[in-house]
């Protein structure tokens, strides 16, 4: 199937038309945010702790 060029494009100019649609899936964003909050809540307090000083550890 050969497409014939349009008469107004007979000089050999190439006409490009692009369309792009971007959508944010807000359900996925909410799910990811909830997962981050759960991970930080469950595991964040165990990994972040104040170091003990040597004076307190000898008691």
């Amino acid at each position: 199937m050969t497409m014939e060029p349009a008469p107004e494009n007979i000089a050999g100019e190439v006409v490009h038309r692009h369309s792009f649609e971007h959508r944010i899936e807000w359900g996925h964003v909410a799910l990811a945010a909830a997962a981050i909050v759960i991970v930080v809540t469950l595991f964040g307090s165990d990994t972040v702790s104040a170091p003990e000083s040597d004076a307190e550890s000898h008691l």
Side-chain angles (χ1 to χ4, degrees):
M1 180 171 174
T2 304
M3 294 182 61
E4 294 295 322
E8 62 270 9
N9 195 24
I10 207 70
E13 298 171 11
V14 179
V15 178
H16 290 283
R17 292 191 179 102
H18 298 280
S19 64
F20 180 75
E21 182 179 329
H22 181 72
R23 289 190 320 161
I24 296 175
E25 295 289 341
W26 292 108
H28 294 162
V29 173
L31 185 62
I36 291 170
V37 168
I38 290 170
V39 168
V40 169
T41 302
L42 293 177
F43 302 109
S45 61
D46 293 340
T47 59
V48 179
S49 61
E52 295 180 11
S53 65
D54 289 335
E56 291 176 358
S57 62
H58 293 292
L59 293 175

PDB file of all heavy atoms in Angstrom, residues 18-58:
ATOM      1  N   HIS A  18       3.261  15.174  15.806  1.00  0.00           N
ATOM      2  CA  HIS A  18       3.345  14.288  16.961  1.00  0.00           C
ATOM      3  C   HIS A  18       2.361  14.757  18.020  1.00  0.00           C
ATOM      4  O   HIS A  18       2.200  15.950  18.232  1.00  0.00           O
ATOM      5  CB  HIS A  18       4.755  14.293  17.562  1.00  0.00           C
ATOM      6  CG  HIS A  18       5.802  13.808  16.630  1.00  0.00           C
ATOM      7  ND1 HIS A  18       6.032  12.475  16.395  1.00  0.00           N
ATOM      8  CD2 HIS A  18       6.681  14.473  15.851  1.00  0.00           C
ATOM      9  CE1 HIS A  18       7.005  12.357  15.519  1.00  0.00           C
ATOM     10  NE2 HIS A  18       7.418  13.548  15.180  1.00  0.00           N
ATOM     11  N   SER A  19       1.760  13.824  18.678  1.00  0.00           N
ATOM     12  CA  SER A  19       0.927  14.183  19.817  1.00  0.00           C
ATOM     13  C   SER A  19       1.351  13.299  20.989  1.00  0.00           C
ATOM     14  O   SER A  19       1.678  12.126  20.813  1.00  0.00           O
ATOM     15  CB  SER A  19      -0.554  13.984  19.508  1.00  0.00           C
ATOM     16  OG  SER A  19      -0.809  12.615  19.273  1.00  0.00           O
ATOM     17  N   PHE A  20       1.363  13.873  22.166  1.00  0.00           N
ATOM     18  CA  PHE A  20       1.786  13.164  23.369  1.00  0.00           C
ATOM     19  C   PHE A  20       0.828  13.498  24.484  1.00  0.00           C
ATOM     20  O   PHE A  20       0.519  14.667  24.714  1.00  0.00           O
ATOM     21  CB  PHE A  20       3.206  13.582  23.750  1.00  0.00           C
ATOM     22  CG  PHE A  20       3.709  12.888  24.986  1.00  0.00           C
ATOM     23  CD1 PHE A  20       4.103  11.568  24.945  1.00  0.00           C
ATOM     24  CD2 PHE A  20       3.769  13.567  26.180  1.00  0.00           C
ATOM     25  CE1 PHE A  20       4.558  10.931  26.076  1.00  0.00           C
ATOM     26  CE2 PHE A  20       4.222  12.935  27.314  1.00  0.00           C
ATOM     27  CZ  PHE A  20       4.616  11.624  27.268  1.00  0.00           C
ATOM     28  N   GLU A  21       0.342  12.474  25.143  1.00  0.00           N
ATOM     29  CA  GLU A  21      -0.581  12.687  26.252  1.00  0.00           C
ATOM     30  C   GLU A  21       0.041  12.091  27.499  1.00  0.00           C
ATOM     31  O   GLU A  21       0.508  10.951  27.495  1.00  0.00           O
ATOM     32  CB  GLU A  21      -1.912  12.001  25.961  1.00  0.00           C
ATOM     33  CG  GLU A  21      -2.943  12.227  27.040  1.00  0.00           C
ATOM     34  CD  GLU A  21      -4.258  11.548  26.721  1.00  0.00           C
ATOM     35  OE1 GLU A  21      -4.581  11.423  25.535  1.00  0.00           O
ATOM     36  OE2 GLU A  21      -4.941  11.141  27.667  1.00  0.00           O
ATOM     37  N   HIS A  22       0.058  12.854  28.555  1.00  0.00           N
ATOM     38  CA  HIS A  22       0.651  12.405  29.816  1.00  0.00           C
ATOM     39  C   HIS A  22      -0.411  12.425  30.900  1.00  0.00           C
ATOM     40  O   HIS A  22      -1.079  13.432  31.096  1.00  0.00           O
ATOM     41  CB  HIS A  22       1.813  13.317  30.208  1.00  0.00           C
ATOM     42  CG  HIS A  22       2.488  12.905  31.471  1.00  0.00           C
ATOM     43  ND1 HIS A  22       3.290  11.804  31.553  1.00  0.00           N
ATOM     44  CD2 HIS A  22       2.473  13.447  32.699  1.00  0.00           C
ATOM     45  CE1 HIS A  22       3.733  11.688  32.785  1.00  0.00           C
ATOM     46  NE2 HIS A  22       3.252  12.674  33.499  1.00  0.00           N
ATOM     47  N   ARG A  23      -0.558  11.289  31.566  1.00  0.00           N
ATOM     48  CA  ARG A  23      -1.519  11.209  32.663  1.00  0.00           C
ATOM     49  C   ARG A  23      -0.798  10.701  33.895  1.00  0.00           C
ATOM     50  O   ARG A  23       0.050   9.825  33.805  1.00  0.00           O
ATOM     51  CB  ARG A  23      -2.657  10.244  32.340  1.00  0.00           C
ATOM     52  CG  ARG A  23      -3.603  10.739  31.294  1.00  0.00           C
ATOM     53  CD  ARG A  23      -4.822   9.849  31.195  1.00  0.00           C
ATOM     54  NE  ARG A  23      -4.459   8.427  31.310  1.00  0.00           N
ATOM     55  CZ  ARG A  23      -5.328   7.492  31.626  1.00  0.00           C
ATOM     56  NH1 ARG A  23      -6.579   7.800  31.851  1.00  0.00           N
ATOM     57  NH2 ARG A  23      -4.953   6.228  31.709  1.00  0.00           N
ATOM     58  N   ILE A  24      -1.147  11.238  35.037  1.00  0.00           N
ATOM     59  CA  ILE A  24      -0.611  10.774  36.311  1.00  0.00           C
ATOM     60  C   ILE A  24      -1.661   9.854  36.928  1.00  0.00           C
ATOM     61  O   ILE A  24      -2.810  10.247  37.107  1.00  0.00           O
ATOM     62  CB  ILE A  24      -0.295  11.946  37.254  1.00  0.00           C
ATOM     63  CG1 ILE A  24       0.809  12.805  36.665  1.00  0.00           C
ATOM     64  CG2 ILE A  24       0.089  11.438  38.629  1.00  0.00           C
ATOM     65  CD1 ILE A  24       1.110  14.053  37.459  1.00  0.00           C
ATOM     66  N   GLU A  25      -1.265   8.644  37.230  1.00  0.00           N
ATOM     67  CA  GLU A  25      -2.154   7.704  37.898  1.00  0.00           C
ATOM     68  C   GLU A  25      -2.092   7.989  39.399  1.00  0.00           C
ATOM     69  O   GLU A  25      -1.174   7.541  40.089  1.00  0.00           O
ATOM     70  CB  GLU A  25      -1.720   6.259  37.606  1.00  0.00           C
ATOM     71  CG  GLU A  25      -1.842   5.860  36.151  1.00  0.00           C
ATOM     72  CD  GLU A  25      -3.285   5.697  35.716  1.00  0.00           C
ATOM     73  OE1 GLU A  25      -4.174   5.540  36.579  1.00  0.00           O
ATOM     74  OE2 GLU A  25      -3.533   5.734  34.500  1.00  0.00           O
ATOM     75  N   TRP A  26      -3.031   8.770  39.882  1.00  0.00           N
ATOM     76  CA  TRP A  26      -3.005   9.201  41.279  1.00  0.00           C
ATOM     77  C   TRP A  26      -3.176   8.036  42.251  1.00  0.00           C
ATOM     78  O   TRP A  26      -2.672   8.092  43.376  1.00  0.00           O
ATOM     79  CB  TRP A  26      -4.055  10.283  41.525  1.00  0.00           C
ATOM     80  CG  TRP A  26      -3.696  11.549  40.819  1.00  0.00           C
ATOM     81  CD1 TRP A  26      -4.299  12.072  39.719  1.00  0.00           C
ATOM     82  CD2 TRP A  26      -2.620  12.438  41.138  1.00  0.00           C
ATOM     83  NE1 TRP A  26      -3.663  13.224  39.341  1.00  0.00           N
ATOM     84  CE2 TRP A  26      -2.641  13.489  40.200  1.00  0.00           C
ATOM     85  CE3 TRP A  26      -1.630  12.443  42.138  1.00  0.00           C
ATOM     86  CZ2 TRP A  26      -1.707  14.527  40.224  1.00  0.00           C
ATOM     87  CZ3 TRP A  26      -0.710  13.483  42.160  1.00  0.00           C
ATOM     88  CH2 TRP A  26      -0.755  14.500  41.218  1.00  0.00           C
ATOM     89  N   GLY A  27      -3.823   6.982  41.828  1.00  0.00           N
ATOM     90  CA  GLY A  27      -3.937   5.802  42.674  1.00  0.00           C
ATOM     91  C   GLY A  27      -2.572   5.172  42.927  1.00  0.00           C
ATOM     92  O   GLY A  27      -2.268   4.750  44.045  1.00  0.00           O
ATOM     93  N   HIS A  28      -1.731   5.139  41.897  1.00  0.00           N
ATOM     94  CA  HIS A  28      -0.380   4.592  42.050  1.00  0.00           C
ATOM     95  C   HIS A  28       0.467   5.497  42.938  1.00  0.00           C
ATOM     96  O   HIS A  28       1.281   4.999  43.730  1.00  0.00           O
ATOM     97  CB  HIS A  28       0.286   4.427  40.689  1.00  0.00           C
ATOM     98  CG  HIS A  28      -0.379   3.410  39.825  1.00  0.00           C
ATOM     99  ND1 HIS A  28      -0.191   3.342  38.467  1.00  0.00           N
ATOM    100  CD2 HIS A  28      -1.234   2.403  40.126  1.00  0.00           C
ATOM    101  CE1 HIS A  28      -0.895   2.349  37.970  1.00  0.00           C
ATOM    102  NE2 HIS A  28      -1.547   1.769  38.961  1.00  0.00           N
ATOM    103  N   VAL A  29       0.310   6.798  42.796  1.00  0.00           N
ATOM    104  CA  VAL A  29       1.059   7.737  43.629  1.00  0.00           C
ATOM    105  C   VAL A  29       0.669   7.561  45.093  1.00  0.00           C
ATOM    106  O   VAL A  29       1.528   7.516  45.974  1.00  0.00           O
ATOM    107  CB  VAL A  29       0.815   9.195  43.165  1.00  0.00           C
ATOM    108  CG1 VAL A  29       1.457  10.191  44.120  1.00  0.00           C
ATOM    109  CG2 VAL A  29       1.344   9.400  41.755  1.00  0.00           C
ATOM    110  N   ALA A  30      -0.619   7.431  45.367  1.00  0.00           N
ATOM    111  CA  ALA A  30      -1.093   7.252  46.742  1.00  0.00           C
ATOM    112  C   ALA A  30      -0.593   5.927  47.312  1.00  0.00           C
ATOM    113  O   ALA A  30      -0.183   5.860  48.476  1.00  0.00           O
ATOM    114  CB  ALA A  30      -2.619   7.314  46.786  1.00  0.00           C
ATOM    115  N   LEU A  31      -0.600   4.874  46.506  1.00  0.00           N
ATOM    116  CA  LEU A  31      -0.121   3.573  46.958  1.00  0.00           C
ATOM    117  C   LEU A  31       1.376   3.617  47.283  1.00  0.00           C
ATOM    118  O   LEU A  31       1.811   3.081  48.306  1.00  0.00           O
ATOM    119  CB  LEU A  31      -0.396   2.521  45.879  1.00  0.00           C
ATOM    120  CG  LEU A  31      -0.069   1.078  46.230  1.00  0.00           C
ATOM    121  CD1 LEU A  31      -0.928   0.619  47.408  1.00  0.00           C
ATOM    122  CD2 LEU A  31      -0.298   0.194  45.029  1.00  0.00           C
ATOM    123  N   ALA A  32       2.149   4.270  46.452  1.00  0.00           N
ATOM    124  CA  ALA A  32       3.584   4.390  46.705  1.00  0.00           C
ATOM    125  C   ALA A  32       3.849   5.215  47.958  1.00  0.00           C
ATOM    126  O   ALA A  32       4.720   4.868  48.766  1.00  0.00           O
ATOM    127  CB  ALA A  32       4.279   5.020  45.496  1.00  0.00           C
ATOM    128  N   ALA A  33       3.120   6.304  48.146  1.00  0.00           N
ATOM    129  CA  ALA A  33       3.292   7.133  49.341  1.00  0.00           C
ATOM    130  C   ALA A  33       2.931   6.351  50.603  1.00  0.00           C
ATOM    131  O   ALA A  33       3.637   6.429  51.615  1.00  0.00           O
ATOM    132  CB  ALA A  33       2.447   8.398  49.233  1.00  0.00           C
ATOM    133  N   ALA A  34       1.858   5.582  50.543  1.00  0.00           N
ATOM    134  CA  ALA A  34       1.465   4.770  51.695  1.00  0.00           C
ATOM    135  C   ALA A  34       2.517   3.719  52.002  1.00  0.00           C
ATOM    136  O   ALA A  34       2.841   3.464  53.168  1.00  0.00           O
ATOM    137  CB  ALA A  34       0.110   4.115  51.437  1.00  0.00           C
ATOM    138  N   ALA A  35       3.089   3.106  50.974  1.00  0.00           N
ATOM    139  CA  ALA A  35       4.131   2.099  51.179  1.00  0.00           C
ATOM    140  C   ALA A  35       5.362   2.718  51.822  1.00  0.00           C
ATOM    141  O   ALA A  35       5.966   2.130  52.720  1.00  0.00           O
ATOM    142  CB  ALA A  35       4.492   1.443  49.848  1.00  0.00           C
ATOM    143  N   ILE A  36       5.733   3.917  51.402  1.00  0.00           N
ATOM    144  CA  ILE A  36       6.890   4.606  51.991  1.00  0.00           C
ATOM    145  C   ILE A  36       6.629   4.919  53.453  1.00  0.00           C
ATOM    146  O   ILE A  36       7.492   4.716  54.313  1.00  0.00           O
ATOM    147  CB  ILE A  36       7.225   5.881  51.186  1.00  0.00           C
ATOM    148  CG1 ILE A  36       7.779   5.488  49.816  1.00  0.00           C
ATOM    149  CG2 ILE A  36       8.208   6.761  51.932  1.00  0.00           C
ATOM    150  CD1 ILE A  36       7.928   6.633  48.858  1.00  0.00           C
ATOM    151  N   VAL A  37       5.443   5.399  53.765  1.00  0.00           N
ATOM    152  CA  VAL A  37       5.101   5.709  55.159  1.00  0.00           C
ATOM    153  C   VAL A  37       5.142   4.447  56.015  1.00  0.00           C
ATOM    154  O   VAL A  37       5.666   4.465  57.137  1.00  0.00           O
ATOM    155  CB  VAL A  37       3.707   6.389  55.229  1.00  0.00           C
ATOM    156  CG1 VAL A  37       3.207   6.461  56.654  1.00  0.00           C
ATOM    157  CG2 VAL A  37       3.771   7.776  54.616  1.00  0.00           C
ATOM    158  N   ILE A  38       4.626   3.349  55.511  1.00  0.00           N
ATOM    159  CA  ILE A  38       4.628   2.095  56.271  1.00  0.00           C
ATOM    160  C   ILE A  38       6.057   1.609  56.508  1.00  0.00           C
ATOM    161  O   ILE A  38       6.414   1.218  57.620  1.00  0.00           O
ATOM    162  CB  ILE A  38       3.789   1.020  55.547  1.00  0.00           C
ATOM    163  CG1 ILE A  38       2.308   1.398  55.629  1.00  0.00           C
ATOM    164  CG2 ILE A  38       4.028  -0.355  56.133  1.00  0.00           C
ATOM    165  CD1 ILE A  38       1.408   0.552  54.761  1.00  0.00           C
ATOM    166  N   VAL A  39       6.890   1.656  55.484  1.00  0.00           N
ATOM    167  CA  VAL A  39       8.275   1.198  55.630  1.00  0.00           C
ATOM    168  C   VAL A  39       9.028   2.073  56.623  1.00  0.00           C
ATOM    169  O   VAL A  39       9.739   1.566  57.490  1.00  0.00           O
ATOM    170  CB  VAL A  39       8.981   1.185  54.252  1.00  0.00           C
ATOM    171  CG1 VAL A  39      10.479   1.012  54.405  1.00  0.00           C
ATOM    172  CG2 VAL A  39       8.409   0.076  53.394  1.00  0.00           C
ATOM    173  N   VAL A  40       8.858   3.388  56.544  1.00  0.00           N
ATOM    174  CA  VAL A  40       9.540   4.279  57.472  1.00  0.00           C
ATOM    175  C   VAL A  40       9.027   4.069  58.889  1.00  0.00           C
ATOM    176  O   VAL A  40       9.801   4.069  59.850  1.00  0.00           O
ATOM    177  CB  VAL A  40       9.374   5.756  57.032  1.00  0.00           C
ATOM    178  CG1 VAL A  40       9.833   6.713  58.109  1.00  0.00           C
ATOM    179  CG2 VAL A  40      10.129   5.996  55.739  1.00  0.00           C
ATOM    180  N   THR A  41       7.738   3.849  59.046  1.00  0.00           N
ATOM    181  CA  THR A  41       7.158   3.632  60.374  1.00  0.00           C
ATOM    182  C   THR A  41       7.657   2.327  60.994  1.00  0.00           C
ATOM    183  O   THR A  41       8.024   2.289  62.166  1.00  0.00           O
ATOM    184  CB  THR A  41       5.625   3.602  60.285  1.00  0.00           C
ATOM    185  OG1 THR A  41       5.173   4.831  59.724  1.00  0.00           O
ATOM    186  CG2 THR A  41       5.005   3.418  61.654  1.00  0.00           C
ATOM    187  N   LEU A  42       7.701   1.266  60.209  1.00  0.00           N
ATOM    188  CA  LEU A  42       8.099  -0.030  60.746  1.00  0.00           C
ATOM    189  C   LEU A  42       9.610  -0.165  60.944  1.00  0.00           C
ATOM    190  O   LEU A  42      10.056  -0.705  61.957  1.00  0.00           O
ATOM    191  CB  LEU A  42       7.614  -1.153  59.826  1.00  0.00           C
ATOM    192  CG  LEU A  42       6.113  -1.342  59.739  1.00  0.00           C
ATOM    193  CD1 LEU A  42       5.793  -2.447  58.742  1.00  0.00           C
ATOM    194  CD2 LEU A  42       5.529  -1.681  61.096  1.00  0.00           C
ATOM    195  N   PHE A  43      10.374   0.319  60.002  1.00  0.00           N
ATOM    196  CA  PHE A  43      11.810   0.075  60.030  1.00  0.00           C
ATOM    197  C   PHE A  43      12.646   1.311  60.340  1.00  0.00           C
ATOM    198  O   PHE A  43      13.827   1.187  60.645  1.00  0.00           O
ATOM    199  CB  PHE A  43      12.266  -0.502  58.689  1.00  0.00           C
ATOM    200  CG  PHE A  43      11.561  -1.775  58.342  1.00  0.00           C
ATOM    201  CD1 PHE A  43      10.629  -1.800  57.315  1.00  0.00           C
ATOM    202  CD2 PHE A  43      11.805  -2.933  59.040  1.00  0.00           C
ATOM    203  CE1 PHE A  43       9.975  -2.971  56.979  1.00  0.00           C
ATOM    204  CE2 PHE A  43      11.150  -4.111  58.718  1.00  0.00           C
ATOM    205  CZ  PHE A  43      10.241  -4.131  57.688  1.00  0.00           C
ATOM    206  N   GLY A  44      12.070   2.480  60.269  1.00  0.00           N
ATOM    207  CA  GLY A  44      12.836   3.708  60.472  1.00  0.00           C
ATOM    208  C   GLY A  44      13.331   3.887  61.888  1.00  0.00           C
ATOM    209  O   GLY A  44      14.454   4.312  62.126  1.00  0.00           O
ATOM    210  N   SER A  45      12.532   3.551  62.897  1.00  0.00           N
ATOM    211  CA  SER A  45      12.927   3.779  64.287  1.00  0.00           C
ATOM    212  C   SER A  45      14.030   2.819  64.717  1.00  0.00           C
ATOM    213  O   SER A  45      14.808   3.127  65.608  1.00  0.00           O
ATOM    214  CB  SER A  45      11.719   3.642  65.215  1.00  0.00           C
ATOM    215  OG  SER A  45      11.184   2.329  65.106  1.00  0.00           O
ATOM    216  N   ASP A  46      14.137   1.631  64.107  1.00  0.00           N
ATOM    217  CA  ASP A  46      15.181   0.674  64.467  1.00  0.00           C
ATOM    218  C   ASP A  46      16.545   1.082  63.920  1.00  0.00           C
ATOM    219  O   ASP A  46      17.568   0.815  64.544  1.00  0.00           O
ATOM    220  CB  ASP A  46      14.838  -0.717  63.938  1.00  0.00           C
ATOM    221  CG  ASP A  46      13.615  -1.298  64.627  1.00  0.00           C
ATOM    222  OD1 ASP A  46      13.283  -0.817  65.730  1.00  0.00           O
ATOM    223  OD2 ASP A  46      13.002  -2.208  64.054  1.00  0.00           O
ATOM    224  N   THR A  47      16.567   1.705  62.783  1.00  0.00           N
ATOM    225  CA  THR A  47      17.846   2.028  62.163  1.00  0.00           C
ATOM    226  C   THR A  47      18.380   3.370  62.603  1.00  0.00           C
ATOM    227  O   THR A  47      19.566   3.609  62.512  1.00  0.00           O
ATOM    228  CB  THR A  47      17.719   2.011  60.634  1.00  0.00           C
ATOM    229  OG1 THR A  47      16.728   2.957  60.232  1.00  0.00           O
ATOM    230  CG2 THR A  47      17.339   0.620  60.139  1.00  0.00           C
ATOM    231  N   VAL A  48      17.529   4.256  63.067  1.00  0.00           N
ATOM    232  CA  VAL A  48      17.975   5.580  63.487  1.00  0.00           C
ATOM    233  C   VAL A  48      17.899   5.635  65.003  1.00  0.00           C
ATOM    234  O   VAL A  48      16.837   5.706  65.587  1.00  0.00           O
ATOM    235  CB  VAL A  48      17.096   6.692  62.869  1.00  0.00           C
ATOM    236  CG1 VAL A  48      17.574   8.054  63.342  1.00  0.00           C
ATOM    237  CG2 VAL A  48      17.091   6.589  61.370  1.00  0.00           C
ATOM    238  N   SER A  49      19.062   5.587  65.647  1.00  0.00           N
ATOM    239  CA  SER A  49      19.099   5.675  67.101  1.00  0.00           C
ATOM    240  C   SER A  49      20.327   6.477  67.507  1.00  0.00           C
ATOM    241  O   SER A  49      21.344   6.482  66.814  1.00  0.00           O
ATOM    242  CB  SER A  49      19.133   4.283  67.740  1.00  0.00           C
ATOM    243  OG  SER A  49      20.293   3.600  67.318  1.00  0.00           O
ATOM    244  N   ALA A  50      20.215   7.130  68.630  1.00  0.00           N
ATOM    245  CA  ALA A  50      21.322   7.941  69.124  1.00  0.00           C
ATOM    246  C   ALA A  50      22.412   7.011  69.649  1.00  0.00           C
ATOM    247  O   ALA A  50      22.130   6.045  70.358  1.00  0.00           O
ATOM    248  CB  ALA A  50      20.840   8.864  70.231  1.00  0.00           C
ATOM    249  N   PRO A  51      23.663   7.279  69.302  1.00  0.00           N
ATOM    250  CA  PRO A  51      24.745   6.425  69.799  1.00  0.00           C
ATOM    251  C   PRO A  51      24.928   6.607  71.305  1.00  0.00           C
ATOM    252  O   PRO A  51      24.793   7.701  71.836  1.00  0.00           O
ATOM    253  CB  PRO A  51      25.975   6.909  69.023  1.00  0.00           C
ATOM    254  CG  PRO A  51      25.633   8.277  68.565  1.00  0.00           C
ATOM    255  CD  PRO A  51      24.137   8.320  68.417  1.00  0.00           C
ATOM    256  N   GLU A  52      25.229   5.507  71.970  1.00  0.00           N
ATOM    257  CA  GLU A  52      25.447   5.586  73.413  1.00  0.00           C
ATOM    258  C   GLU A  52      26.856   6.093  73.687  1.00  0.00           C
ATOM    259  O   GLU A  52      27.798   5.733  72.979  1.00  0.00           O
ATOM    260  CB  GLU A  52      25.273   4.202  74.040  1.00  0.00           C
ATOM    261  CG  GLU A  52      23.877   3.662  73.944  1.00  0.00           C
ATOM    262  CD  GLU A  52      23.755   2.291  74.584  1.00  0.00           C
ATOM    263  OE1 GLU A  52      24.707   1.878  75.274  1.00  0.00           O
ATOM    264  OE2 GLU A  52      22.716   1.657  74.404  1.00  0.00           O
ATOM    265  N   SER A  53      26.992   6.881  74.725  1.00  0.00           N
ATOM    266  CA  SER A  53      28.316   7.359  75.072  1.00  0.00           C
ATOM    267  C   SER A  53      29.040   6.271  75.862  1.00  0.00           C
ATOM    268  O   SER A  53      28.426   5.365  76.422  1.00  0.00           O
ATOM    269  CB  SER A  53      28.227   8.634  75.915  1.00  0.00           C
ATOM    270  OG  SER A  53      27.628   8.346  77.155  1.00  0.00           O
ATOM    271  N   ASP A  54      30.349   6.332  75.910  1.00  0.00           N
ATOM    272  CA  ASP A  54      31.136   5.322  76.629  1.00  0.00           C
ATOM    273  C   ASP A  54      30.864   5.345  78.122  1.00  0.00           C
ATOM    274  O   ASP A  54      30.916   4.324  78.789  1.00  0.00           O
ATOM    275  CB  ASP A  54      32.631   5.549  76.370  1.00  0.00           C
ATOM    276  CG  ASP A  54      32.994   5.177  74.939  1.00  0.00           C
ATOM    277  OD1 ASP A  54      32.282   4.365  74.343  1.00  0.00           O
ATOM    278  OD2 ASP A  54      33.995   5.710  74.420  1.00  0.00           O
ATOM    279  N   ALA A  55      30.555   6.521  78.663  1.00  0.00           N
ATOM    280  CA  ALA A  55      30.291   6.628  80.104  1.00  0.00           C
ATOM    281  C   ALA A  55      29.038   5.866  80.498  1.00  0.00           C
ATOM    282  O   ALA A  55      28.993   5.227  81.542  1.00  0.00           O
ATOM    283  CB  ALA A  55      30.156   8.103  80.504  1.00  0.00           C
ATOM    284  N   GLU A  56      28.011   5.899  79.665  1.00  0.00           N
ATOM    285  CA  GLU A  56      26.766   5.202  79.985  1.00  0.00           C
ATOM    286  C   GLU A  56      26.895   3.696  79.790  1.00  0.00           C
ATOM    287  O   GLU A  56      26.274   2.906  80.476  1.00  0.00           O
ATOM    288  CB  GLU A  56      25.638   5.735  79.100  1.00  0.00           C
ATOM    289  CG  GLU A  56      25.247   7.162  79.421  1.00  0.00           C
ATOM    290  CD  GLU A  56      24.194   7.675  78.440  1.00  0.00           C
ATOM    291  OE1 GLU A  56      23.833   6.931  77.522  1.00  0.00           O
ATOM    292  OE2 GLU A  56      23.758   8.809  78.618  1.00  0.00           O
ATOM    293  N   SER A  57      27.737   3.247  78.876  1.00  0.00           N
ATOM    294  CA  SER A  57      27.830   1.830  78.609  1.00  0.00           C
ATOM    295  C   SER A  57      28.616   1.080  79.672  1.00  0.00           C
ATOM    296  O   SER A  57      28.497  -0.131  79.789  1.00  0.00           O
ATOM    297  CB  SER A  57      28.481   1.600  77.224  1.00  0.00           C
ATOM    298  OG  SER A  57      29.785   2.126  77.234  1.00  0.00           O
ATOM    299  N   HIS A  58      29.431   1.772  80.523  1.00  0.00           N
ATOM    300  CA  HIS A  58      30.196   1.128  81.568  1.00  0.00           C
ATOM    301  C   HIS A  58      29.429   0.992  82.863  1.00  0.00           C
ATOM    302  O   HIS A  58      29.912   0.400  83.819  1.00  0.00           O
ATOM    303  CB  HIS A  58      31.514   1.897  81.824  1.00  0.00           C
ATOM    304  CG  HIS A  58      32.453   1.827  80.654  1.00  0.00           C
ATOM    305  ND1 HIS A  58      33.058   0.655  80.273  1.00  0.00           N
ATOM    306  CD2 HIS A  58      32.870   2.765  79.791  1.00  0.00           C
ATOM    307  CE1 HIS A  58      33.831   0.895  79.218  1.00  0.00           C
ATOM    308  NE2 HIS A  58      33.725   2.164  78.911  1.00  0.00           N
TER     309      HIS A  58
END
